[in-house]
Every structure is written in C-alpha cells, then in structure tokens.
Amino acid sequence: MIAVMGVTGKVGGAVARQLLVAGASVRAIVRHRAKGKIWTETGGEIAVATLDDAASLAAAFAGAEGVFAMLPPQFDPAPGFPGARAMIATLRDALTVAGPERLVVLSTIGAEASRPNLLNQLGLLETALRDLPCRSTFLRAAWFMDNAAGDLADARQGVIRSHLQPTDRAIPMVAAADVGRCAADLLLADDAPDVVELEAAERVSPDRIAAAYARTLGHDVRATAVPRDQWEAEFRAVGMTNPLPRMQMIDGFNQGWIDFADHGAGARKAPTTIDQVIADIVAQA
C-alpha cells in the first residue's frame, strides 16, 4: 500500500494514477471524503486527513509501505513562513508515528538556495524530514510548465506579460504530469537517490511559451517583460500581502542563482514539451 497526498492536484493525482496503472495499491489522502470518490471507483481506498492534524495524518499513513508527501503551495506566506513551518512539523510527526519504509517528498529546484526567497519553504521541508529512518528521496522539480495556464487570457489577446526575463532566457521547466510519473517510479523502485532533480529535455523561455500559444491559438503571440519596479504594486493589487519572497524567487530564476547543479547536466529529463502542455491548457479551457 502506498499513501498519496495531494491527489486532488495535478502532481498528486498523477502519482496515484501511475501507481494504479502499475498495479500498486493506493490510499488517496483527501481533506473531504466526497473528493475521494473517484479513487475508490478506480480501485484505490481513501483516508481523510489534514496538515493541521498530525493524528489524522498518521492514521492515513498507518500501514503504508510508501508515502508520497507534499505541502500545498504557499505563494503569499507570512514573514518567516510560519504556515509552512507548522505544516512541516505536523508532517514530520505523522511520518514518525507511522514509520513507512519508503518516502518520496515533492521538493523544488532551488530548495538548497541560501538566499531568501519563496522556495526556502521547501528547503525547510527537506531539512525537517532528512533524518527520518525511512528511505527518503526528495524530488526537486523545475518550474511547472502548467503555470503558463495563467497566461492564456493574455495570449488570446496576443501579448503575454512576463516576470521571467529577459524573455529569450530559458529556464528549467517541467510538466506536472511528468513530476507525478517520476514520483511514482521512485516509490516503486528498489532503490533511489536521496535527491532527484527533474526538468524537461528542453529549457523554456517566455518567448518559447508565446510561440507555443501562437501555434495552438493560430495567431501571433509575443512575450513582453514586466518592469521589476512594477512587480510589488502588481502583486499587491491581486491581493498579496507579502510579495517579497515571490519577487525574490523570480529574481533567482532571472539572475541564475536558482538552477540545478551543473545547469541540469545531472538532472533527469522528462519527455513532455511546452507545446504539449500549452495545447492541453487551451483544450481544457
């Protein structure tokens, strides 16, 4: 039995589906029982647990040989990441009680970065779970291609506004579905490294995203850089109260200090392309 967190999202859902295809028994962990119906219909079981209740999470992990663990995204954290720290403590307590043999944790490119930025939350996660007695792998995924869904409305008008810049600079990206498939493979493997870096075979720039939209939508689309001095006002205008960590993260990608070791030479390469992801985004809109 493998317990999977985040099954209502793209990555966790892909993990669970891949495990079921491989013939593994899956326990889907959901916050509300109604959201687990699809997993019982596909041959799995469900457990109801939350990251603010260590007892419920330990019960969800109980008896599982393997666990896929992740934190929900925190794009607008309070200073010092108190929300992430509390969830990490809950997760560690639950894993300590349940004692699975195998653990795969969704982490991120930049988890090891020392400079302040949004991804420090996943660095805290790795540090907290690294000394657990189970066999653990931290899956450091690149920037999700799926984030380009937020550009669809602008792409329909012909111009994508990009914080990643210059717009011809390619960065490590990966499709969420490929992350899920890789995590499932790691859970099923007899052995796995402590850290796995994962990115697509081709790095992706904002210009490349615009070109993919242009091919899919059938009209010209270009990317334009949002000036750095406008970021804070823009993020606050959409409701963010502490945009600095997010801005620091984007700076890290733009300046190159958020990257994989050796610029990804040793990273695993995932097959899905940005054209495939953009085509799916448009088809599902």
Side-chain angles (χ1 to χ4, degrees):
M1 172 67 71
I2 299 176
V4 180
M5 299 180 68
V7 293
T8 58
K10 289 182 177 293
V11 175
V15 175
R17 287 190 294 273
Q18 184 71 12
L19 290 171
L20 288 169
V21 167
S25 298
V26 171
R27 180 182 296 151
I29 301 174
V30 293
R31 291 179 58 87
H32 305 287
R33 184 165 297 276
K35 292 186 175 182
K37 182 180 179 181
I38 186 174
W39 300 107
T40 57
E41 292 174 347
T42 55
E45 63 178 73
I46 61 171
V48 179
T50 63
L51 268 167
D52 57 6
D53 183 352
S56 71
L57 200 55
F61 294 155
E65 297 175 1
V67 169
F68 173 72
M70 61 177 290
L71 297 183
Q74 299 281 303
F75 296 116
D76 187 22
F81 309 122
R85 290 179 187 275
M87 289 188 289
I88 290 167
T90 299
L91 180 57
R92 179 183 168 84
D93 287 347
L95 288 167
T96 299
V97 171
E101 298 175 9
R102 188 80 184 91
L103 173 66
V104 172
V105 181
L106 179 60
S107 186
T108 181
I109 184 173
E112 79 288 8
S114 59
R115 301 192 199 186
N117 77 95
L118 189 68
L119 304 181
N120 294 152
Q121 297 173 95
L122 283 303
L124 294 171
L125 176 65
E126 289 194 15
T127 298
L129 303 185
R130 188 171 289 122
D131 64 347
L132 291 173
C134 56
R135 293 185 295 121
S136 299
T137 297
F138 297 100
L139 177 53
R140 292 180 179 171
W143 182 291
F144 282 7
M145 293 176 179
D146 309 66
N147 293 338
D151 297 319
L152 176 56
D154 287 343
R156 293 192 189 279
Q157 302 303 313
V159 179
I160 292 172
R161 302 175 68 256
S162 178
H163 300 94
L164 293 172
Q165 46 197 259
T167 60
D168 62 353
R169 184 176 187 278
I171 68 165
M173 292 194 186
V174 69
D178 283 341
V179 179
R181 284 188 283 266
C182 181
D185 290 344
L186 292 168
L187 284 160
L188 296 172
D190 292 333
D191 196 11
D194 295 338
V195 173
V196 170
E197 298 173 337
L198 183 68
E199 63 172 308
E202 178 186 6
R203 293 194 166 189
V204 181
S205 68
D207 286 345
R208 183 72 178 78
I209 293 172
Y213 266 122
R215 277 188 287 273
T216 301
L217 295 173
H219 62 72
D220 288 342
V221 181
R222 63 182 178 87
T224 184
V226 180
R228 176 65 168 75
D229 61 7
Q230 295 180 15
W231 292 4
E232 181 172 1
E234 180 178 297
F235 290 149
R236 290 189 182 279
V238 296
M240 294 187 68
T241 59
N242 182 33
L244 180 59
R246 183 177 181 183
M247 293 165 61
Q248 292 168 327
M249 176 192 71
I250 299 169
D251 286 338
F253 281 102
N254 291 344
Q255 296 166 13
W257 51 266
I258 293 181
D259 198 349
F260 290 132
D262 301 323
H263 303 291
R268 294 193 185 190
K269 300 301 188 286
T272 305
T273 67
I274 187 63
D275 294 274
Q276 291 171 300
V277 171
I278 295 300
D280 286 345
I281 288 170
V282 173
Q284 294 171 18

